[in-house]
Amino acid sequence: MASSCSFTSPLCTWLVAACMSFTCGSRDPHQPPSVLRRYTNNKREGLSAARRRKLSAKCGVGGEVVNGSLVSSFSGSSHSIQSLMASCLPFEPCNEYYSSVSSLGFFGDNGFSSFFGSNNSTATLNRRQRRLRLNRVTRSGEAMAVAVQPDEEVTTKKKPHMKQKRVVVTGMGLVSPLGHEPDVFYNNLLEGVSGISEIETFDCTSFPTKIAAEIKSFSTDGWVAPKLSKRMDKFMLYLLTAGKKALADGGITEDVMNELDKSKCGVLIGSGLGGMKVFYDAIEALRISYKKMNPFCVPFATTNMGSAMLAMDLGWMGPNYSISTACATSNFCILNAANHIIRGEANVMLCGGSDAAVIPIGLGGFVACRALSQRNNDPTKASRPWDINRDGFVMGEGAGVLLLEELEHAKKRGAKIYAEFRGGSFTSDAYHMTEPHPDGKSAMSLRLNFSVQMKSLNGFGKFYFISRNR
């Protein structure tokens, strides 16, 4: 009996250490298991001390702990060792465990191989045996630790860094009270010419404000089909004319147009108020009968229809929409159009803004909110936004369009480059609908306090701008 105890005690100690430290697979020995599960029966948590002692006695079968080691008085029978494993070590051995202990030759066919199963056990247990043994272990109320091989790390391929494309201005087109050509417009600005005068389009004697920056002479000949000219709102006529002028100024001839990838050509021209004249005329016609209304009054009144009509006329199938952010509309459109090119979504973009609200409903609406200047006796000096005696702004109309292009695309076709777009930002005063913040507080506290800054760069200018929406 003594020899049996001396033999089985070291074996049990080794067996406990092996089962608790040996894990399946070729895992790094210094790496802890990735998953540790504990199956606990809550009913056993409240066991009395007496029942715990009884359970310990059953588990140890007369054994005791001496100097931190398990000293057992087993007789060496496989049944006693199996009871020990089922009660004190409630977890399953792995495949390598079976194969390793079978190579040692302990106990022969009826000994070590029968610890965890029948005598016919092979290197692996089938699914049913593992399920039954798991159920028996969890019913015993003891904790169970399972070492699982770490999952393979999922590696995601990062997209290669794409160099941002450069954006340049290759064309300009406009329709304005100071001229319909860029050179004429610019020279009038330098000379201080004002486009503000008394309104002539309609009778405004009943309004306190009788002045505006009105376009006196304008023709769509050669730019817009006569059939469309009769139905479209003026903001759309200005937009189409300025857009096509920008194409002509940028050297986009019919031959060049045929070589363009039209899926990479877009239009982003916005409007603050849209087709107010078409909508106003429809309301007046409705007073008589709906049959007198313009059938295109609804689509032609929307702000995006100008860009849509120009894109359909050119056959451009790239980004096409509009932005409406009051006085900042054009700047928002320019920055968004440039971003489409920077991201590679377009090679060419027409961008800008157009408005034509000098009509009775437009004038009356701004007068009602007391936003317009009433310097009718001195219209050329009525617009004074930074003057302490400022009494309101002055309405105006017209359109301005830029042709933006990817730098390499422009160089390839030999286009004339006016400037390079270098960046911009969107900000808001978050204070008032028409008035700026009295303390000048806004996200515009960047060091650029004006819309456009020109600098020389390799023979052509570059510009930054900040668009502020109140």
Side-chain angles (χ1 to χ4, degrees):
M1 186 68 176
S3 62
S4 176
C5 290
S6 62
F7 176 77
T8 57
S9 296
L11 175 62
C12 292
T13 304
W14 175 83
L15 181 60
V16 171
C19 290
M20 296 184 68
S21 62
F22 200 91
T23 59
C24 296
S26 57
R27 183 176 60 81
D28 185 358
H30 301 289
Q31 182 179 0
S34 63
V35 179
L36 183 62
R37 301 176 181 173
R38 296 178 60 89
Y39 298 91
T40 305
N41 190 336
N42 295 331
K43 295 182 180 180
R44 293 291 181 179
E45 294 180 359
L47 290 177
S48 62
R51 295 188 64 184
R52 286 199 297 271
R53 286 194 298 271
K54 183 183 297 185
L55 182 61
S56 301
K58 179 181 179 180
C59 177
V61 195
E64 59 180 352
V65 178
V66 179
N67 296 330
S69 301
L70 178 63
V71 180
S72 176
S73 60
F74 286 118
S75 62
S77 64
S78 62
H79 177 73
S80 300
I81 298 177
Q82 185 174 359
S83 300
L84 171 66
M85 296 305 300
S87 302
C88 296
L89 301 176
F91 49 80
E92 294 287 349
C94 56
N95 298 335
E96 285 81 356
Y97 183 55
Y98 279 112
S99 59
S100 63
V101 297
S102 60
S103 63
L104 296 177
F106 287 133
F107 296 103
D109 295 336
N110 298 324
F112 211 95
S113 62
S114 63
F115 282 172
F116 302 98
S118 63
N119 296 335
N120 297 327
S121 298
T122 59
T124 60
L125 290 176
N126 60 38
R127 183 177 301 176
R128 182 182 177 188
Q129 290 174 316
R130 288 196 298 269
R131 187 185 301 114
L132 293 175
R133 198 163 303 282
L134 178 63
N135 292 338
R136 186 182 65 182
V137 170
T138 55
R139 285 195 300 269
S140 68
E142 298 296 333
M144 176 178 181
V146 180
V148 181
Q149 184 177 359
D151 296 335
E152 296 182 0
E153 295 183 359
V154 180
T155 57
T156 56
K157 293 183 180 180
K158 293 183 178 181
K159 293 182 179 180
H161 177 71
M162 300 296 292
K163 185 177 180 181
Q164 288 189 346
K165 298 181 181 295
R166 298 171 66 181
V167 183
V168 294
V169 181
T170 57
M172 298 182 289
L174 59 87
V175 175
S176 78
L178 294 183
H180 303 325
E181 299 297 330
D183 292 337
V184 176
F185 175 82
Y186 186 64
N187 291 331
N188 284 333
L189 287 178
L190 294 179
E191 295 173 5
V193 176
S194 174
I196 303 173
S197 61
E198 187 174 348
I199 297 174
E200 300 178 0
T201 306
F202 60 94
D203 183 10
C204 57
T205 55
S206 61
F207 294 92
T209 296
K210 301 175 175 61
I211 57 175
E214 187 181 34
I215 294 178
K216 303 298 183 180
S217 61
F218 170 71
S219 174
T220 60
D221 294 344
W223 303 109
V224 184
K227 185 177 181 179
L228 292 176
S229 298
K230 296 178 181 179
R231 295 179 174 179
M232 285 184 176
D233 188 273
K234 285 200 300 182
F235 100 94
M236 297 178 66
L237 298 178
Y238 295 160
L239 185 153
L240 265 67
T241 302
K244 291 184 177 181
K245 284 185 176 182
L247 289 177
D249 183 65
I252 306 294
T253 62
E254 186 175 353
D255 293 337
V256 175
M257 183 77 75
N258 293 332
E259 297 178 358
L260 293 178
D261 181 2
K262 295 187 178 180
S263 64
K264 287 294 191 75
C265 300
V267 182
L268 208 173
I269 305 176
S271 178
L273 297 173
M276 293 190 68
K277 180 66 166 58
V278 168
F279 204 72
Y280 176 75
D281 292 342
I283 294 175
E284 292 297 317
L286 185 60
R287 297 179 186 274
I288 302 173
S289 172
Y290 73 91
K291 297 179 181 180
K292 299 293 184 180
M293 294 174 63
N294 182 347
F296 300 99
C297 65
V298 172
F300 285 176
T302 58
T303 59
N304 71 297
M305 192 51 65
S307 292
M309 292 299 296
L310 181 57
M312 287 188 285
D313 195 357
L314 301 175
W316 286 12
M317 298 176 289
N320 183 278
Y321 58 100
S322 71
I323 297 173
S324 180
T325 50
C327 303
T329 293
S330 294
N331 280 354
F332 274 78
C333 292
I334 292 171
L335 180 51
N336 277 277
N339 287 335
H340 282 299
I341 297 177
I342 291 172
R343 295 192 296 263
E345 299 167 356
N347 295 327
V348 181
M349 290 291 296
L350 284 170
C351 57
S354 177
D355 263 307
V358 184
I359 59 176
I361 190 173
L363 181 64
F366 282 114
V367 167
C369 68
R370 301 179 181 180
L372 296 182
S373 172
Q374 298 182 14
R375 295 180 183 273
N376 300 319
N377 56 347
D378 192 5
T380 59
K381 297 180 180 180
S383 179
R384 46 178 73 189
W386 295 281
D387 194 289
I388 193 172
N389 296 319
R390 174 178 183 262
D391 67 333
F393 70 88
V394 179
M395 292 182 64
E397 61 181 3
V401 177
L402 295 179
L403 177 63
L404 300 185
E405 197 167 348
E406 196 270 324
L407 177 60
E408 298 302 324
H409 188 276
K411 287 181 177 180
K412 186 176 180 180
R413 69 179 187 86
K416 177 183 178 181
I417 298 176
Y418 288 102
E420 180 181 9
F421 175 90
R422 297 295 292 172
S425 65
F426 299 131
T427 67
S428 174
D429 283 353
Y431 173 71
H432 192 270
M433 289 187 294
T434 58
E435 296 179 6
H437 198 288
D439 297 333
K441 295 180 179 179
S442 75
M444 267 191 62
S445 55
L446 304 171
R447 288 167 180 78
L448 297 175
N449 57 359
F450 43 85
S451 295
V452 179
Q453 180 185 24
M454 299 296 296
K455 296 181 181 179
S456 62
L457 175 66
N458 298 329
F460 55 89
K462 65 177 180 179
F463 69 91
Y464 306 83
F465 72 89
I466 300 173
S467 183
R468 182 176 67 176
N469 184 24
R470 295 171 184 166

